[in-house]
Amino acid sequence: MFKLGEHTPFPFQMMVRTPDNFMPKPHMHDHFQICYVRKGSCKNRIGAREAALVEGDLFSIPPFLEHQITLIPNTAVELVQIDFMPQFINESMSDLSNMEGFVDFAYLQPLMEGGSKAIPKLNLSMFNQLMLEQIIAVIEKELQTRDEGFMLSIRAQLLMLLIISGREYRSFLQGKTEQSALMTHRKSFHDTVEYIRQHYADELTLEDMAVRALMAPTYFSSMFKLMVGRTFKEYIIELRIRKAMELLAVSDRNITEIHLQVGFNNLSYFIRVFKQHTGLTPSQYRKRRGTGASG
């Protein structure tokens, strides 16, 4: 099974699946996957739900969501599969996290149910089908020739694909019952992030925050990293270190008090993590900022 690592130098792959190279078993992956049915038809199953996919359909699978794409007997199909890590778009992920339409499409689209209880997918307009097929053709050529600048060219094409999918999805939602569910999911997620910001010093677990966000833990974890730009654990540590830096600079509390106040239970671990983030121990940082309290 193809697997993109977070630190892969070129975290992007595109392949064309036909009946000869389909993956028959349920699987999941740690990267984004966008699929476009270029010819024929097939089926996509997520959990107990299954949807038929036909020529012109576009659908997405977010990280860590088990799914299975299956053949329809005696039916031809040509499925373009694009796999990528968010870092391929932008290392800080600012571009991707600001693309609200695509984020909704990528994360919520596979889980939404319409009146038919089918997994929604986008059947692109003829204009956008032509645009998407042009994008795919350019990417295929760039991957084949690998001329100078090919990665930048592919990144530009992928961004255009994400813009198209995001716009189509926003259009799809207009007047649909899915919009209220989308808003509920989005609000619960952002409310949870704000709760973490306010309660960073508490004993927070990913599982508890996932419940608060109305999501499964693995799903919440991958969405959190996309939207915030850091893992759940990294974000909490960053908040705690920032507060510790503030207290070291403006208060006379000793380091033992500070590390407990910001949520660290182990002093040596706090010192080690603080130095990893700032390049200085808490005592060294305090001296440079000019406060004189001892550790």
Side-chain angles (χ1 to χ4, degrees):
M1 174 182 168
F2 171 70
K3 187 176 179 66
L4 278 173
E6 181 177 343
H7 303 294
T8 303
F10 183 50
F12 176 92
Q13 175 174 289
M14 186 174 77
M15 65 182 301
V16 178
R17 292 201 178 276
T18 64
D20 295 331
N21 65 352
F22 255 58
M23 296 182 65
K25 296 181 179 180
H27 61 280
M28 64 178 67
H29 32 71
D30 64 352
H31 53 268
F32 280 104
Q33 186 174 96
I34 296 179
C35 296
Y36 173 67
V37 184
R38 186 155 62 180
K39 295 180 182 178
S41 59
C42 58
K43 292 182 179 179
N44 182 29
R45 178 184 293 275
I46 297 177
R49 291 174 289 158
E50 187 174 71
L53 305 166
V54 299
E55 185 173 327
D57 277 351
L58 182 75
F59 67 99
S60 66
I61 300 293
F64 309 110
L65 183 65
E66 186 174 272
H67 69 111
Q68 181 180 15
I69 304 173
T70 58
L71 295 169
I72 299 174
N74 304 314
T75 303
V77 65
E78 191 172 289
L79 185 75
V80 180
Q81 176 182 307
I82 295 174
D83 302 291
F84 69 97
M85 295 293 286
Q87 292 82 357
F88 181 63
I89 302 298
N90 185 287
E91 287 187 3
S92 68
M93 291 189 287
S94 59
D95 287 352
L96 193 54
S97 62
N98 287 331
M99 296 177 64
E100 188 175 89
F102 170 71
V103 170
D104 292 339
F105 173 62
Y107 273 101
L108 302 179
Q109 173 262 354
L111 304 182
M112 308 292 278
E113 296 187 27
S116 63
K117 300 300 182 184
I119 304 167
K121 72 274 185 181
L122 300 177
N123 190 262
L124 300 178
S125 65
M126 183 58 66
F127 176 78
N128 279 335
Q129 283 187 43
L130 292 174
M131 285 193 66
L132 191 62
E133 290 178 11
Q134 289 175 359
I135 288 170
I136 290 170
V138 171
I139 293 176
E140 285 177 327
K141 182 179 179 182
E142 293 289 358
L143 287 173
Q144 182 179 9
T145 61
R146 292 185 174 249
D147 289 338
E148 184 178 354
F150 81 98
M151 286 189 287
L152 184 60
S153 174
I154 290 174
R155 183 180 291 116
Q157 296 300 315
L158 178 58
L159 277 169
M160 193 67 235
L161 187 157
L162 302 184
I163 291 169
I164 291 171
S165 65
R167 287 175 176 173
E168 283 268 6
Y169 189 59
R170 303 300 291 178
S171 177
F172 166 80
L173 285 175
Q174 290 178 2
K176 300 287 185 180
T177 57
E178 284 87 348
Q179 188 160 16
S180 61
L182 184 150
M183 294 303 294
T184 298
H185 277 271
R186 183 191 295 154
K187 185 177 187 305
S188 65
F189 176 80
H190 287 294
D191 285 350
T192 300
V193 174
E194 182 59 28
Y195 180 88
I196 293 169
R197 285 172 54 86
Q198 298 296 327
H199 297 84
Y200 63 87
D202 295 347
E203 193 69 33
L204 303 178
T205 68
L206 186 144
E207 290 74 17
D208 288 344
M209 295 302 99
V211 170
R212 180 178 286 271
L214 308 179
M215 297 176 181
T218 53
Y219 188 72
F220 173 74
S221 177
S222 55
M223 185 173 186
F224 190 95
K225 186 169 183 181
L226 171 71
M227 298 295 286
V228 179
R230 298 158 188 79
T231 66
F232 173 76
K233 182 178 180 181
E234 288 169 346
Y235 185 63
I236 292 176
I237 288 176
E238 182 176 296
L239 291 174
R240 291 173 176 176
I241 293 298
R242 285 181 183 175
K243 185 61 177 179
M245 292 168 66
E246 177 186 330
L247 292 173
L248 287 166
V250 302
S251 78
D252 59 359
R253 296 172 188 171
N254 63 47
I255 293 171
T256 302
E257 291 175 321
I258 288 174
H259 96 275
L260 292 172
Q261 182 177 341
V262 300
F264 287 97
N265 296 323
N266 183 285
L267 180 58
S268 61
Y269 176 68
F270 165 67
I271 294 172
R272 183 168 71 252
V273 172
F274 190 94
K275 187 172 183 179
Q276 288 173 351
H277 280 74
T278 67
L280 301 168
T281 66
S283 297
Q284 290 169 336
Y285 181 83
R286 168 163 268 166
K287 284 182 180 180
R288 291 202 178 184
R289 296 303 298 262
T291 54
S294 65

